[in-house]
Amino acid sequence: TERRQARTAAPTPPEAPRTELRQSRLRRRATMHSSEAVAEGFLARSRRLGIRTSMDFSGNLIDAYGTNNQLQQHAVLETMMNVADVAHTMQSFNTFVKWNRRLFRELHAARSAERLPFDPSARWYENQIGFFNHYILPLAGKMKSCGVLGTTGDVFELFAAENLKRWKEEGEAISEEIVRSETSMNGGAAAPMGVRNGSRVGR
């Protein structure tokens, strides 16, 4: 029967055009959208948003760029934007501590306003070490290895490593001072979510 023949049909020969396969994957992803216009917008954006749009959910690469040069440019730009977002961690230790304090102040204010579901003062010292180990140092390494800034790229990794070292030595005392001063400035430790003035606040 036709159904049996379809099941036993030979697999697509390896010489079949890979571009057609990539295009079919893009079309498959586009079908998630509600209209043809929205799907076309998705396909257009997928060609300019960066390296993340070059991989589908199964881990297969999608060639959303005309050349390898374009892919490399987008990857470098994305890395640079990520570095800019956490630039204080790759500058002097005093600069890092200054913006670390401001970050805690912002998170504590959000907690006090019941806009944050966790208490930032819990394990603040340890969390910074984890952040450096799992995000900052790998990111600094990517910035160095891409080579776009030449020998200057080494600076990001050097400052990040030095800041982590000093934070391990001095960060516990600094964290205690930040938590103490910032919570007292804002009326004490943040109350649990939904609790205000000792009573439960209805949702």
Side-chain angles (χ1 to χ4, degrees), residues 3 22 44 92 117 150 152 173 179 191 193 203:
R3 185 174 298 174
R22 291 167 182 148
S92 72
T152 309
V179 170
M193 291 291 285
R203 290 283 176 186

Side-chain angles (χ1 to χ4, degrees), residues 17 51 62 67 71 122 136 156 160 182:
I51 194 169
I62 298 173
T67 65
L71 177 59
I136 298 301
F156 297 97
E182 294 300 327

Side-chain angles (χ1 to χ4, degrees), residues 87-103 105 132 158-160 162-167 170-171 174 177-178:
H88 67 290
T89 63
M90 303 179 197
Q91 299 181 50
S92 72
F93 188 71
N94 287 341
T95 299
F96 164 65
V97 171
K98 170 184 174 181
W99 288 99
N100 188 266
R101 176 186 297 275
R102 293 185 179 189
L103 174 61
R105 183 182 303 161
F132 267 95
L158 290 172
F159 271 111
E162 178 62 22
N163 285 340
L164 174 58
K165 178 185 175 185
R166 286 194 61 181
W167 183 260
E170 308 171 38
I174 293 172
E177 190 277 324
I178 288 176

Side-chain angles (χ1 to χ4, degrees), residues 141-152:
K142 282 176 63 178
M143 195 69 243
K144 175 184 176 180
S145 62
C146 75
V148 70
L149 297 178
T151 55
T152 309

Side-chain angles (χ1 to χ4, degrees), residues 19-138:
T19 52
E20 176 58 31
L21 178 61
R22 291 167 182 148
Q23 288 171 1
S24 69
R25 286 171 180 160
L26 272 176
R27 286 194 295 270
R28 186 177 71 231
R29 291 181 68 189
T31 58
M32 297 185 297
H33 300 280
S34 57
S35 70
E36 189 171 330
V38 175
E40 284 298 322
F42 161 77
L43 292 174
R45 289 193 304 275
S46 73
R47 286 168 170 76
R48 65 172 184 268
L49 282 183
I51 194 169
R52 290 178 189 169
T53 59
S54 298
M55 183 174 289
D56 65 17
F57 292 122
S58 64
N60 295 314
L61 291 178
I62 298 173
D63 189 5
Y65 302 90
T67 65
N68 282 340
N69 251 3
Q70 290 178 333
L71 177 59
Q72 290 169 353
Q73 289 167 11
H74 280 77
V76 170
L77 286 173
E78 184 171 341
T79 300
M80 293 178 74
M81 286 189 290
N82 289 335
V83 168
D85 185 47
V86 291
H88 67 290
T89 63
M90 303 179 197
Q91 299 181 50
S92 72
F93 188 71
N94 287 341
T95 299
F96 164 65
V97 171
K98 170 184 174 181
W99 288 99
N100 188 266
R101 176 186 297 275
R102 293 185 179 189
L103 174 61
F104 179 86
R105 183 182 303 161
E106 180 181 342
L107 294 177
H108 178 67
R111 173 69 175 176
S112 298
E114 300 188 344
R115 290 185 285 105
L116 195 68
F118 63 91
D119 183 358
S121 65
R123 296 179 58 83
W124 184 258
Y125 164 70
E126 294 86 352
N127 288 341
Q128 306 312 301
I129 294 175
F131 186 53
F132 267 95
N133 283 329
H134 299 295
Y135 184 75
I136 298 301
L137 290 177

